[in-house]
Amino acid sequence: QKEVEQDPGPLSVPEGAIVSLNCTYSNSAFQYFMWYRQYSRKGPELLMYTYSSGNKEDGRFTAQVDKSSKYISLFIRDSQPSDSATYLCAMSAGAGNNRKLIWGLGTSLAVNP
Amino acid sequence: DAGITQSPRHKVTETGTPVTLRCHQTENHRYMYWYRQDPGHGLRLIHYSYGVKDTDKGEVSDGYSVSRSKTEDFLLTLESATSSQTSVYFCAISEGGGTQYFGPGTRLTVL
């Protein structure tokens, strides 16, 4: 079993929909949780960063961490065609060699006009 | 991609030839990473560096070596390229707080 599980999709939604992307993990030592967005033929770019549990909101994006369930989510409100990309979750325990990120495989999202 | 460049951006080479990829940063970040990204496998860490001349292996380090003689440069070398090393290679940098920032990638094809 992988340390981080992420449904690869693809996920296809109409413009304006609310999108929910999720990852589950097994390592209870993870403290740092990130979502990256990757457009085709580009490098991943950091979208959201959360330390420990709770919610974080940035514009149309909300990241949630539920450490008791070992589950993280990214919500996209009022989705736009420009949100079409692959979304990768990543996490780490944060100290020493545990600064290494453990990655999900990514979920491919298509937002249709 | 601001502050991180990778060269070359595309390369086609033949099996058995040596290949060196370069990552250059202008952010003065301590940590630098090399990943490969393949369908079905996602991002996999090859090697990383936690300072000048300080490097360590990642999960897929066989067939790869790295060097970091200056803070700003991190080189990845394939001593004798094989077709299984055809991939997209990404460099990333970090200050160590948990987040990493990625370069634009290098597409390598080994024939």
Side-chain angles (χ1 to χ4, degrees):
Chain A
Q1 184 188 3
K2 287 182 177 293
E3 275 191 286
V4 177
E5 299 278 1
Q6 184 177 11
D7 186 338
L11 187 60
S12 182
V13 302
E15 183 175 354
I18 297 174
V19 176
S20 172
L21 305 167
N22 311 294
C23 289
T24 59
Y25 63 95
S26 57
N27 188 344
S28 58
F30 288 150
Q31 297 271 19
Y32 299 87
F33 303 92
M34 284 137 278
W35 286 96
Y36 284 78
R37 178 175 62 195
Q38 186 176 21
Y39 291 114
S40 180
R41 294 183 170 265
K42 299 287 188 182
E45 58 176 327
L46 181 65
L47 196 59
M48 299 287 283
Y49 167 68
T50 308
Y51 172 71
S52 194
S53 281
N55 293 0
K56 187 172 184 178
E57 188 173 323
D58 183 2
R60 296 185 294 111
F61 298 89
T62 300
Q64 288 185 351
V65 175
D66 181 347
K67 292 187 73 178
S68 62
S69 302
K70 297 189 179 68
Y71 189 87
I72 69 171
S73 300
L74 177 70
F75 297 96
I76 307 174
R77 292 183 298 280
D78 188 25
S79 56
Q80 302 295 309
S82 59
D83 295 327
S84 298
T86 296
Y87 290 80
L88 301 138
C89 64
M91 47 199 82
S92 81
N97 283 340
N98 291 318
R99 287 190 182 89
K100 289 185 286 186
L101 293 181
I102 308 301
W103 295 85
L105 291 183
T107 299
S108 176
L109 172 67
V111 181
N112 305 303
Chain B
D1 298 352
I4 312 169
T5 57
Q6 293 185 231
S7 59
R9 295 292 313 280
H10 302 270
K11 186 169 183 68
V12 179
T13 191
E14 294 190 351
T15 298
T17 59
V19 176
T20 295
L21 308 183
R22 180 181 184 236
C23 177
H24 178 78
Q25 61 148 328
T26 58
E27 306 296 325
N28 201 37
H29 283 3
R30 178 182 175 187
Y31 297 88
M32 298 185 76
Y33 306 81
W34 277 108
Y35 289 92
R36 59 179 292 175
Q37 188 175 38
D38 306 284
H41 293 280
L43 280 164
R44 291 182 290 176
L45 183 65
I46 304 171
H47 282 281
Y48 66 101
S49 170
Y50 46 95
V52 173
K53 299 192 189 304
D54 292 323
T55 64
D56 205 350
K57 296 179 180 180
E59 61 181 298
V60 290
S61 59
D62 286 349
Y64 301 95
S65 62
V66 290
S67 65
R68 191 171 178 197
S69 59
K70 297 185 290 186
T71 299
E72 57 266 35
D73 289 325
F74 193 31
L75 303 181
L76 177 70
T77 298
L78 291 65
E79 300 290 347
S80 177
T82 67
S83 58
S84 64
Q85 293 176 312
T86 292
S87 187
V88 181
Y89 291 85
F90 288 103
C91 173
I93 64 174
S94 172
E95 290 180 306
T99 57
Q100 295 180 13
Y101 301 92
F102 283 77
T106 294
R107 291 189 169 270
L108 176 67
T109 301
V110 183
L111 301 175

